[in-house]
C-alpha cells in the first residue's frame, strides 16, 4: 500500500481535495485525523475525552495519542491501493512515528502533497465553512454553497458550523500550523518526496493538480 500525505494549513482544502480524489478512484482511502478525533470526541471514547480540550483551544492533541490512533487504523486496513492521510502527521515527532508504522505495515511513502494557499484566503474559507451534521459533507457559504440554504445536498441533513471554526480558535490553529507543522515541509523536501500544489482557483483544477502529483 502506498501512503500519500496531504499537507497544508487549516482551510487549505485538504478534506475537500481528498474527498473528490476518493470519489473518483475507489482504490484510494481517505483518512482525516481531524475526523477521527471529532468522531472520538462525539462518542466519548477515552481518546476523545482526552483530545476535546486541545481541539477546543485550536491546539494539537498529544503526538502519542494521534500517532496511536492512526497506527491502529493502518494495521487493520486491508485493500486500498493508496491511503490519503489528511492532517497527519502534523509534527516531526508524528512524522517519525508514521515512518515506523509504514515500515511495520510493509507500506511505502509515495508522496507528500502540499496545498499552498495565502493566509487571507484561509481565513475566509474557515469562516464560511459549513459541515453536514449527518454525513460530514463539507460546504462553503459562498464558494461551495448547498442547493438549499442550510441543507446538505447529499443526505438532507442540517448544516452546522464546526466548533473550532470560531475566529479566535481558527487564529490559534493557523499559528500552530506555522510553528509546529511547517517544519515538515523542510523535513519531506529533504527526502525528495514533497510536491507543491497551488491550492487556489476552481476546486476541480486543484483536484486535477493534486491527482497528477500523487
Ligand atoms: P483538522 O480537522 O485536520 O483541521 P485542519 O487541519 O485545521 O484543517 P481543516 O479541516 O480546517 O481544513 P482543510 O484543509 O481540510 O480544508 P477544507 O477542505 O475543509 O484538525 C482539527 C483539530 O484536530 C486540530 O486543530 C487539532 O486539535 C486536532 N488534530 C487533527 N490532526 C491532528 C494531528 N495530526 N496532531 C494533533 N492534533 C490533531 O476547506 C475549507 C473550506 O474551504 C471549506 O468550506 C471548503 O468548501 C472551502 N474550499 C476548499 N477548497 C476551495 C477552493 N478551491 N475554492 C473555494 N473554496 C474552497
Amino acid at each position: 500500500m502506498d501512503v500519500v500525505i496531504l499537507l497544508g494549513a487549516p482551510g487549505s482544502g485538504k478534506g475537500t481535495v481528498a474527498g473528490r480524489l476518493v470519489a473518483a478512484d475507489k482504490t484510494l482511502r481517505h483518512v482525516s485525523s481531524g475526523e477521527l478525533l471529532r468522531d472520538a470526541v462525539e462518542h466519548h471514547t477515552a481518546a476523545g475525552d482526552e483530545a476535546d480540550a486541545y481541539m477546543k483551544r485550536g491546539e494539537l492533541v498529544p503526538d502519542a495519542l494521534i500517532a496511536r490512533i492512526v497506527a491502529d487504523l493502518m494495521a487493520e486496513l486491508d485493500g486500498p491501493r493508496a491511503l490519503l492521510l489528511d492532517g497527519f502527521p502534523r509534527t516531526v515527532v508524528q512524522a517519525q512515528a508514521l515512518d515506523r508504522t509504514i515500515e511495520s505495515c510493509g507500506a511505502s511513502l509515495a508522496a507528500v502533497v502540499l496545498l499552498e494557499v495565502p493566509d487571507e484566503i484561509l481565513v475566509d474559507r474557515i469562516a464560511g465553512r459549513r459541515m453536514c451534521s449527518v454525513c460530514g459533507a463539507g460546504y462553503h457559504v459562498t464558494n461551495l454553497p448547498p442547493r438549499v440554504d442550510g441543507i446538505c445536498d447529499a443526505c438532507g441533513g442540517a448544516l452546522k458550523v464546526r466548533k473550532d471554526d470560531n475566529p479566535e480558535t481558527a487564529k490559534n490553529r493557523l499559528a500552530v500550523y506555522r510553528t509546529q507543522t511547517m517544519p515538515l515541509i523542510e523535513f519531506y523536501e529533504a527526502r525528495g518526496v514533497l510536491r507543491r500544489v497551488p491550492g487556489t482557483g476552481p476546486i476541480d483544477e486543484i483536484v486535477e493538480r493534486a491527482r497528477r502529483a500523487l
Side-chain angles (χ1 to χ4, degrees):
M1 176 175 69
D2 283 341
V3 173
V4 175
I5 296 168
L6 285 175
L7 195 60
S12 57
K14 302 181 296 293
T16 303
V17 167
R20 290 179 184 224
L21 288 170
V22 170
D25 182 348
K26 302 294 179 208
T27 68
L28 304 176
R29 166 85 187 262
H30 174 204
V31 171
S32 153
S33 54
E35 284 301 316
L36 290 174
L37 289 166
R38 279 186 287 279
D39 191 60
V41 169
E42 201 179 315
H43 290 94
H44 287 286
T45 66
D49 288 345
E50 188 182 345
D52 195 23
Y54 294 94
M55 296 174 76
K56 278 187 183 138
R57 292 192 297 263
E59 294 169 9
L60 297 183
V61 308
D63 288 330
L65 175 74
I66 185 66
R68 192 174 60 241
I69 292 175
V70 175
D72 288 349
L73 188 140
M74 282 178 66
E76 285 169 10
L77 275 184
D78 187 19
R81 175 177 62 80
L83 184 65
L84 299 182
L85 283 180
D86 152 11
F88 181 85
R90 253 172 154 99
T91 64
V92 170
V93 171
Q94 292 180 21
Q96 290 162 340
L98 177 63
D99 282 342
R100 294 191 290 277
T101 304
I102 285 175
E103 195 180 344
S104 67
C105 293
S108 62
L109 179 60
V112 178
V113 175
L114 172 65
L115 289 174
E116 296 187 298
V117 177
D119 279 8
E120 61 278 14
I121 294 183
L122 295 173
V123 171
D124 172 69
R125 285 190 188 171
I126 293 172
R129 174 169 39 203
R130 299 292 180 271
M131 305 286 295
C132 175
S133 53
V134 178
C135 73
Y139 296 88
H140 187 280
V141 286
T142 50
N143 301 336
L144 200 65
R147 284 192 293 271
V148 179
D149 192 29
I151 304 291
C152 177
D153 293 349
C155 76
L159 302 188
K160 61 173 185 183
V161 176
R162 226 170 78 179
K163 270 198 277 188
D164 60 351
D165 276 349
N166 64 77
E168 201 51 41
T169 308
K171 197 170 144 202
N172 197 31
R173 284 161 54 207
L174 288 168
V176 165
Y177 174 75
R178 283 185 208 104
T179 54
Q180 299 192 49
T181 305
M182 282 184 79
L184 285 178
I185 297 173
E186 207 175 310
F187 180 88
Y188 286 120
E189 204 152 40
R191 287 198 195 174
V193 287
L194 191 83
R195 319 264 163 82
R196 292 174 185 268
V197 168
T200 51
I203 293 172
D204 288 346
E205 284 178 20
I206 300 167
V207 171
E208 182 50 26
R209 285 177 212 142
R211 196 190 58 73
R212 283 199 301 265
L214 294 186

